[in-house]
């Protein structure tokens, strides 16, 4: 029973770092938004969309009622990514 606790804690920490990494990727995307070409923007947007979809799916599979707090930053990152994509494709 004690062997499961450190493994679960490691997986939880890794998942939290994936969420933090998602915000870093979105910040980099926003900082380079004006310098991107259309092809580069489409490629990066597609990669970020796939990352956010995989992260959201993983979030809903891995979280329990005790760890449900992790859903909110994951969903907010996905919504922020959607807003960034709309901004890139329609306003830039």
């Amino acid at each position: 029973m004690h062997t499961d606790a450190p493994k679960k804690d490691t997986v939880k920490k890794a998942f939290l770092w994936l969420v933090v990494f998602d915000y870093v990727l979105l910040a980099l995307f926003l900082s380079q938004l004006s310098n991107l070409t259309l092809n580069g923007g489409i490629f990066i947007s597609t990669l970020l969309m796939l990352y956010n979809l995989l992260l959201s799916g993983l979030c809903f599979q891995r979280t329990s009622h005790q760890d449900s707090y992790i859903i909110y930053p994951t969903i907010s990152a996905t919504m922020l990514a959607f807003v960034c994509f709309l901004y890139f494709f329609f306003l830039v």
Side-chain angles (χ1 to χ4, degrees):
M1 186 163 175
H2 293 286
T3 59
D4 291 339
K7 183 180 178 185
K8 186 176 182 182
D9 190 43
T10 304
V11 171
K12 187 188 300 184
K13 284 182 183 179
F15 185 72
L16 290 171
W17 278 110
L18 287 174
V19 173
V20 170
F21 185 65
D22 188 26
Y23 279 104
V24 170
L25 288 174
L26 288 171
L28 288 172
F29 178 69
L30 281 174
S31 69
Q32 297 299 316
L33 204 57
S34 61
N35 300 330
L36 290 175
T37 63
L38 183 61
N39 288 335
I42 290 172
F43 181 70
I44 293 172
S45 296
T46 303
L47 289 177
L48 280 172
M49 181 87 62
L50 288 173
Y51 184 78
N52 278 300
L53 287 174
L54 289 172
L55 191 64
S56 296
L58 185 64
C59 176
F60 283 111
Q61 286 179 354
R62 299 287 302 169
T63 56
S64 62
H65 293 291
Q66 299 162 344
D67 300 332
S68 62
Y69 64 90
I70 196 66
I71 293 173
Y72 301 112
T74 306
I75 295 300
S76 65
T78 304
M79 290 187 331
L80 178 64
F82 181 70
V83 168
C84 291
F85 303 151
L86 287 178
Y87 180 76
F88 176 75
F89 287 114
F90 295 112
L91 297 177
V92 172

